[in-house]
């Protein structure tokens, strides 16, 4: 842990999930990372193998967003440039249109994009009922108002996926998935390469294997903060699959690390620096993040556990993990979790003072 780690984790304490800094400072100089350079997509895909339909990962991702965009007059999110290097999104959409993965949307889709207020206004102007859900309003307009009249009002059309576009998204659903989740350092480019290299394997198995391998590298390098973050990602990943007990076991390991005082490049020779940020409780960086506490509470509720049941389960899981250093005993870690859930600040202050 460096000086930057000490202050960053304290700053992040109240925003949800404690994230250990990847920057280790072993001198009095604090080096902060510079803004990453944007890599144009043309350079990104140079030498990269497209999928069997000739599309690259960014094009598959664009297919997933296309139904939200109008054929003309869009204002695009900045991530298309700074994250994926696409400067002209309109040009990329038109290319997908020309190659048969997209088509111009229908009149129905144009109507569906409008607000209920607009739809009701048009219905009223045509002496039609304005009651009902939005889908009913859309259908009423299509059934009762002449098509030419509707086309004169609804002039902005969105893109729609063709069958070919739908097939691509179905086969490469991992691309929009990794875009949304951002697991570890995986992105649409690196995950596509890994899936291509392991042809025939489900993409979730590919991700799991990568996370497991990466966590072992962090552990070997004694980057305990990065290891902790990777295990948290693994917990969230299996929870998506409904594997609550597996997710809780991994979450318990995260808790053990969060309450240990360990972080990246931890060294006992810097204990005099670390210790100033360990105690007392109200200013400690070694605490439960609210996002972790809420996940424990959620597990307790879904499994129908009493507080005593939860304590036993936590004790059972936490005892599996042997760390090179820890501020608290296993039993104290369990007590801290319960106190955090119950918001027992007096009890937490006493326990931290004791430690």
């Amino acid at each position: 842990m460096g000086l930057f780690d000490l202050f960053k984790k304290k700053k992040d304490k109240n925003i949800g999930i404690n994230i250990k800094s990847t920057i280790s400072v072993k001198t009095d100089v604090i080096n902060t990372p510079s803004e990453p350079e944007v890599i144009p997509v043309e350079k990104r895909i140079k030498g990269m193998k497209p999928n069997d339909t000739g599309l690259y990962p960014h094009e598959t991702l664009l297919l997933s967003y296309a139904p939200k965009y109008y054929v003309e007059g869009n204002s695009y999110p900045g991530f298309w440039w700074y994250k994926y290097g696409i400067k002209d999104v309109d040009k990329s959409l038109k290319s997908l249109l020309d190659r048969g993965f997209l088509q111009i949307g229908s009149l129905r889709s144009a109507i569906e994009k409008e607000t209920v207020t607009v739809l009701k206004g048009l219905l009223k102007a045509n002496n039609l009922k304005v009651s009902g859900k939005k889908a009913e309003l859309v259908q009423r307009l299509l059934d009762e108002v002449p098509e030419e009249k509707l086309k004169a009002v609804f002039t902005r059309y969105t893109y729609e996926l063709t069958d070919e576009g739908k097939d691509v998204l179905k086969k490469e659903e991992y691309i929009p998935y990794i875009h949304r989740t951002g697991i570890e350092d995986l992105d649409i480019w690196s995950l596509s390469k890994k899936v291509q290299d392991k042809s025939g394997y489900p993409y979730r198995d590919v991700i799991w294997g990568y996370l497991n391998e990466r966590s072992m590298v962090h552990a070997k390098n004694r980057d305990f903060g990065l290891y902790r973050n990777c295990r948290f990602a693994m917990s969230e990943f299996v929870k998506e699959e409904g594997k609550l007990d597996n997710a809780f076991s991994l979450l318990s390991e995260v808790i053990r690390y969060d309450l240990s005082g360990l972080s990246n490049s931890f060294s006992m020779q810097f204990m005099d620096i670390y210790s100033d940020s360990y105690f007392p409780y109200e200013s400690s960086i070694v605490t439960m993040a609210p996002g972790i506490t809420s996940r424990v509470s959620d597990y307790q509720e879904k499994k129908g556990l009493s507080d005593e049941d939860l304590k036993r389960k936590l004790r059972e899981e936490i005892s599996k993990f042997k760390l090179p250093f820890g501020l608290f005993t296993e039993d104290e870690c369990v007590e801290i979790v319960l106190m955090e859930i119950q918001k027992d600040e007096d009890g937490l202050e006493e326990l931290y003072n004791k430690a």
Side-chain angles (χ1 to χ4, degrees), residues 18-36:
N18 286 338
I19 301 298
K20 311 278 187 174
S21 171
T22 59
I23 300 173
S24 277
V25 181
K26 294 188 179 180
T27 69
D28 293 332
V29 179
I30 299 178
N31 296 314
T32 56
S34 58
E35 285 293 320

Side-chain angles (χ1 to χ4, degrees), residues 98-110:
D98 293 341
R99 286 181 282 167
F101 297 102
L102 293 176
Q103 61 190 7
I104 305 300
S106 63
L107 176 60
R108 175 184 288 275
S109 66

Side-chain angles (χ1 to χ4, degrees), residues 1-8 19-27 29-34 223 225-226 229 263-266 274:
M1 178 188 292
L3 295 174
F4 184 82
D5 296 300
L6 299 181
F7 295 113
K8 184 177 188 301
I19 301 298
K20 311 278 187 174
S21 171
T22 59
I23 300 173
S24 277
V25 181
K26 294 188 179 180
T27 69
V29 179
I30 299 178
N31 296 314
T32 56
S34 58
D223 283 331
L226 294 175
N229 288 349
S263 64
N264 299 333
S265 304
F266 178 87
Y274 303 153

Side-chain angles (χ1 to χ4, degrees), residues 207-233:
I207 293 175
W208 179 258
Y210 171 77
L211 288 173
N212 196 51
E213 179 182 324
R214 190 164 173 82
S215 70
M216 296 303 102
V217 171
H218 292 325
K220 181 180 178 181
N221 293 337
R222 295 178 63 82
D223 283 331
F224 301 113
L226 294 175
Y227 175 83
R228 173 264 186 211
N229 288 349
C230 193
R231 302 301 273 187
F232 175 73

Side-chain angles (χ1 to χ4, degrees), residues 173-196:
E173 60 180 328
Y174 57 86
I175 290 179
Y177 171 80
I178 204 64
H179 165 73
R180 293 192 308 270
T181 57
I183 297 173
E184 282 285 293
D185 65 343
L186 285 175
D187 57 24
I188 63 172
W189 317 104
S190 57
L191 182 56
S192 293
K193 177 70 163 57
K194 291 181 184 301
V195 172
Q196 286 177 356

